[in-house]
Amino acid sequence: MLPFLGKKASTAKLGIDISSTSVKLLELSRSGNRYKVEAYSVEPLPANAVVEKNITDVEGVGDAIAKVLARSKSGVKNAAVAVAGSAVITKTIEMDAALNDDEMESQIKVEADQYIPYPLDEVSIDFEVQGEVDNAPERVEVLLAACRNENVELRSDVLEIAGLVPKVVDVEAYAIERAFGLVADQIEGGEDQTVAIVDIGSTMTTLSVLHDGRTIYTREQLFGGKQLTEEIQRRYGLSFEEAGLAKKQGGLPDDYEPEVLEPFKEAVVQQVARSLQFFFSSSQYNDVDHILIAGGTASISGLAELVQDKVGTSTTVANPFVDMAISPKVNASILSNDAPALMIACGLALRSFD
């Protein structure tokens, strides 16, 4: 089996988040119970190098990772990356608690074709023991995850082009779940509730619902901050790059906020509400206790308040670095501004401490 979920020995690993528009690198260290950001950098990707979470330009992505690594000045060579949830089949199965990892692996290989609709030589499979089955301590729940080999290998290839060693290929939803452990203390009720994390990227919005700190639902939708950039580009006659800079740095005409930004924020609220409705209609839940917004779009001023006002659920912006120390070589204000977009990178970097 490839190191798909990668339950391997604890070593420092860079969290490398490959999104549709950029590569984000994060290195964490830990002293006692406190984490420290040792290195952070972000590098834009060539246009269409990644389309809907699929790598289409291996060299372009590999070169961007090499650049982000050089700029971060990190000396770590081991890395963790993630595949999109839509590329992964997961299933929870029950197994005999007395089996060791090797015995479980052998049994899963024998039985895997029951759970996975692809030929086994085309998939990477991994598993993780979740805990005892309720009222049956002799049985354990095992999370089985399978992904097409090409998705795993493409991510390994781009890391190797940059001179990195792929140690873990994780799943984005589980990386977000891991990072949520750092954010849970910032919200009333902590982990022991139902929390919707809405990660609004450039082209994709991912809803992950966690109950008692575990992912119970995930869904991807085509919607993201790129729509705001394109509207700025169209309305003000800018290039896509200029529009992206103006969106971040300001300096647009007075009609920008009322005529462009406000309608986009309303569209985000509708997207959040719609995503939650999909969840409610396909589960026994009809409410969540808290909404956490993440992704680059979450940095838009006033967005969390608008979601809270319109959806009627307590809402905050994700920042996994609130209680962390920051290395002097990391620009703390840039890190703070980018924090909502770094949940996946953070969750991957936390694999250093497994």
Side-chain angles (χ1 to χ4, degrees), residues 266 269 291 302-315:
E266 292 286 349
V269 172
I291 297 170
L303 187 60
E305 292 81 0
L306 189 64
V307 170
Q308 179 168 312
D309 189 42
K310 294 289 174 75
V311 179
T313 301
S314 167
T315 304

Side-chain angles (χ1 to χ4, degrees), residues 49-114:
V50 177
V51 178
E52 291 178 25
K53 308 272 179 107
N54 296 310
I55 295 172
T56 54
D57 176 0
V58 173
E59 290 292 332
V61 176
D63 289 347
I65 295 173
K67 285 179 187 168
V68 85
L69 181 63
R71 187 178 299 135
S72 75
K73 300 184 170 61
S74 173
V76 174
K77 289 299 179 194
N78 294 330
V81 290
V83 293
S86 55
V88 181
I89 295 167
T90 58
K91 190 162 185 67
T92 301
I93 59 175
E94 290 185 13
M95 299 188 78
D96 185 342
L99 298 175
N100 64 30
D101 274 6
D102 289 341
E103 289 165 338
M104 281 189 179
E105 183 171 327
S106 299
Q107 190 171 324
I108 284 168
K109 278 183 174 172
V110 171
E111 298 177 2
D113 57 353
Q114 295 176 41

Side-chain angles (χ1 to χ4, degrees), residues 128-201:
E128 205 166 83
V129 177
Q130 302 289 288
E132 287 182 1
V133 175
D134 288 345
N135 304 319
E138 75 285 356
R139 307 282 288 169
V140 286
E141 287 191 347
V142 177
L143 175 70
L144 180 66
C147 182
R148 298 292 287 266
N149 285 336
E150 59 193 318
N151 284 313
V152 174
E153 287 161 1
L154 281 170
R155 278 158 178 77
S156 297
D157 290 348
V158 296
L159 292 177
E160 286 165 359
I161 287 170
L164 293 172
V165 180
K167 286 290 185 183
V168 175
V169 181
D170 207 330
V171 181
E172 287 182 356
Y174 299 138
I176 286 176
E177 177 186 302
R178 206 171 293 110
F180 173 69
L182 300 173
V183 180
D185 291 343
Q186 301 165 31
I187 62 178
E188 195 176 329
E191 279 193 357
D192 303 329
Q193 54 185 332
T194 306
V195 177
I197 303 176
V198 187
D199 189 319
I200 309 161

Side-chain angles (χ1 to χ4, degrees), residues 258-303:
E259 305 224 346
V260 181
L261 184 59
E262 289 303 323
F264 176 75
K265 284 162 72 170
E266 292 286 349
V268 171
V269 172
Q270 286 179 359
Q271 191 65 33
V272 171
R274 194 176 301 134
S275 296
L276 287 170
Q277 285 306 321
F278 273 118
F279 166 60
F280 299 145
S281 65
S282 62
S283 72
Q284 78 269 35
Y285 295 85
N286 55 19
D287 197 8
V288 294
D289 298 305
H290 195 88
I291 297 170
L292 205 60
I293 52 172
T297 300
S299 300
I300 293 175
S301 177
L303 187 60

Side-chain angles (χ1 to χ4, degrees), residues 11 20 23 28 34 60 70 110 173 195 238 252 256 270 296 301 331 339 346:
T11 53
S20 301
V23 173
L28 299 177
R34 193 163 190 224
V110 171
V195 177
L238 304 173
L252 286 162
Y256 166 63
Q270 286 179 359
S301 177
N331 183 317
C346 185

Side-chain angles (χ1 to χ4, degrees), residues 199-221:
D199 189 319
I200 309 161
S202 175
T203 59
M204 299 280 270
T205 294
T206 305
L207 169 67
S208 296
V209 182
L210 283 73
H211 182 71
D212 293 343
R214 302 308 283 253
T215 304
I216 58 168
Y217 176 89
T218 179
R219 180 186 171 90
E220 293 170 4
Q221 301 266 96

